[in-house]
Amino acid sequence: MKEKADFTGVEQTTLITLYLRAWESRSKDSILGDHFAAEAVKRIDYDFGKLMVRGGAGNRFTLALRSRQLDEWAADFLRRHPDAVVLHLGCGLDSRALRLDLPPRVRWFDIDLPDVIDLRRKIYPEPDGYRTIGASVTDPGWLDEIPADRPVLIIAEGLVMHLTENDNKRLFQQLTERFGTGELIFDGFAPWVIRMTQRMSKSLARRGYTPYWTAIRDPRDVERWNPRFTYIEDVPFVSLYARIPARVYRTAYRLMNTISVTRNFYRMFRFGF
Ligand SMILES: C[S@@+](CC[C@H](N)C(=O)[O-])C[C@H]1O[C@@H](n2cnc3c(N)ncnc32)[C@H](O)[C@@H]1O
């Protein structure tokens, strides 16, 4: 029997990313190869087709590039800290904990809003060392459940833009107060993209998308939000164009990579503390 997903608003955005990963996994020379997503889509009773925007087929490559970059940073952190705590904030229905080969001592926490976590528990296994938490990341209570005596990897994929800047600052403050050392990895859009989604909020809502709130203009702004953070690197997703198997998108992203405004409109960021 299929599981129902009666999501609206921001919760629904996880169905979009799940569907795009499932779609991308069927590409020849898939970038991410997320067969967990492909299996999960089959188990959910939802009209995924309605989420597709016209001309949005390339989004499956954008998604796969961003997820693979974050997977690689996560794997690198776990190689250096095999006893780490991982906080996967706004995990949605992403299978990262299953995709990565987790060292046995890692404690992994997948955190999302309660309805999303309820569905997640029905479709994915929960291996040893892995736990889900159904809560808003802006509610400080959930952090009390997390051991604070290990290095922490904080992953926030597709989340920072959905929170207000004040919520992001407060969340980062709580995290750096609780943990001694770690890394934060996430993706973020340029300010013009945020403004555009706000202007288009009605048409986005009809397709299950929500407008964004927080932009990352310059990674140094994140250091100013929270002086514990030290910028390590950022990667514009279009700079990874060579990984795209479809020539038309590879060429488009290669061209976008040559102009600053299109090169930097969407990037993955990595900070240490
Ligand atoms: C675009 S989806 C990304 C999901 C997943 N990270 C991925 O890449 O597939 C955004 C996710 O953030 C979650 N989210 C939004 N606001 C949240 C909050 N305040 N607390 C916890 N999760 C939140 C949504 O429920 C949704 O699952």
Side-chain angles (χ1 to χ4, degrees):
M1 202 181 78
K2 291 195 178 196
E3 305 294 344
K4 281 239 173 281
D6 295 323
F7 295 163
T8 53
V10 77
E11 293 177 343
Q12 195 165 215
T13 61
T14 190
L15 299 171
I16 302 172
T17 52
L18 181 75
Y19 185 69
L20 291 171
R21 286 196 192 93
W23 184 5
E24 198 279 333
S25 75
R26 292 191 294 273
S27 307
K28 186 170 170 296
D29 302 322
S30 165
I31 298 165
L32 192 66
D34 190 352
H35 60 271
F36 298 103
E39 286 306 309
V41 161
K42 287 188 209 153
R43 298 195 49 202
I44 297 174
D45 180 7
Y46 188 81
D47 175 12
F48 285 96
K50 78 176 182 193
L51 301 174
M52 290 303 98
V53 286
R54 199 158 0 118
N59 289 347
R60 68 191 192 279
F61 298 121
T62 308
L63 219 282
L65 290 173
R66 109 179 172 193
S67 299
R68 180 160 157 188
Q69 181 60 58
L70 296 176
D71 278 6
E72 287 176 4
W73 281 342
D76 175 61
F77 186 87
L78 296 180
R79 257 190 306 277
R80 287 179 284 124
H81 303 285
D83 60 343
V85 160
V86 181
L87 302 181
H88 193 206
L89 308 181
C91 60
L93 300 172
D94 180 34
S95 68
R96 176 161 287 120
L98 302 168
R99 283 199 304 273
L100 295 176
D101 193 12
L102 300 187
R105 280 182 294 143
V106 162
R107 302 278 312 276
W108 185 291
F109 295 87
D110 265 351
I111 299 133
D112 206 295
L113 298 169
D115 288 347
V116 175
I117 291 297
D118 281 350
L119 177 61
R120 190 179 174 99
R121 288 179 179 145
K122 291 177 192 153
I123 59 175
Y124 288 122
E126 304 210 351
D128 286 348
Y130 169 92
R131 254 194 67 196
T132 49
I133 297 179
S136 170
V137 294
T138 58
D139 162 10
W142 65 270
L143 252 185
D144 300 341
E145 304 179 38
I146 315 286
D149 57 345
R150 302 164 176 221
V152 66
L153 173 66
I154 303 158
I155 310 172
E157 179 175 9
L159 177 70
V160 168
M161 65 288 278
H162 288 293
L163 304 180
T164 64
E165 195 170 296
N166 275 340
D167 279 343
N168 280 307
K169 286 181 188 164
R170 238 189 331 263
L171 172 63
F172 293 159
Q173 183 66 29
Q174 282 156 359
L175 290 166
T176 54
E177 272 170 12
R178 182 151 180 91
F179 297 98
T181 181
E183 281 184 21
L184 164 70
I185 59 178
F186 67 97
D187 53 318
F189 286 102
W192 66 266
V193 181
I194 306 299
R195 286 194 296 273
M196 195 174 72
T197 66
Q198 290 177 355
R199 277 200 297 271
M200 294 167 59
S201 61
K202 283 200 180 120
S203 63
L204 289 175
R206 280 197 294 277
R207 299 210 167 260
Y209 290 73
T210 50
Y212 299 148
W213 302 105
T214 296
I216 308 295
R217 183 184 57 88
D218 174 346
R220 301 288 170 195
D221 289 343
V222 179
E223 290 181 334
R224 282 185 279 273
W225 292 355
N226 185 327
R228 286 275 314 277
F229 288 133
T230 304
Y231 166 68
I232 301 174
E233 62 181 313
D234 66 87
V235 175
F237 87 88
V238 292
S239 71
L240 304 173
Y241 63 85
R243 289 178 169 174
I244 298 178
R247 193 164 57 157
V248 59
Y249 293 105
R250 193 167 60 245
T251 306
Y253 289 14
R254 183 170 57 77
L255 293 174
M256 287 167 75
N257 193 42
T258 59
I259 305 166
S260 164
V261 69
T262 46
R263 176 177 161 80
N264 288 327
F265 90 94
Y266 188 29
R267 291 182 277 175
M268 283 75 73
F269 298 94
R270 186 183 202 187
F271 291 85
F273 66 97

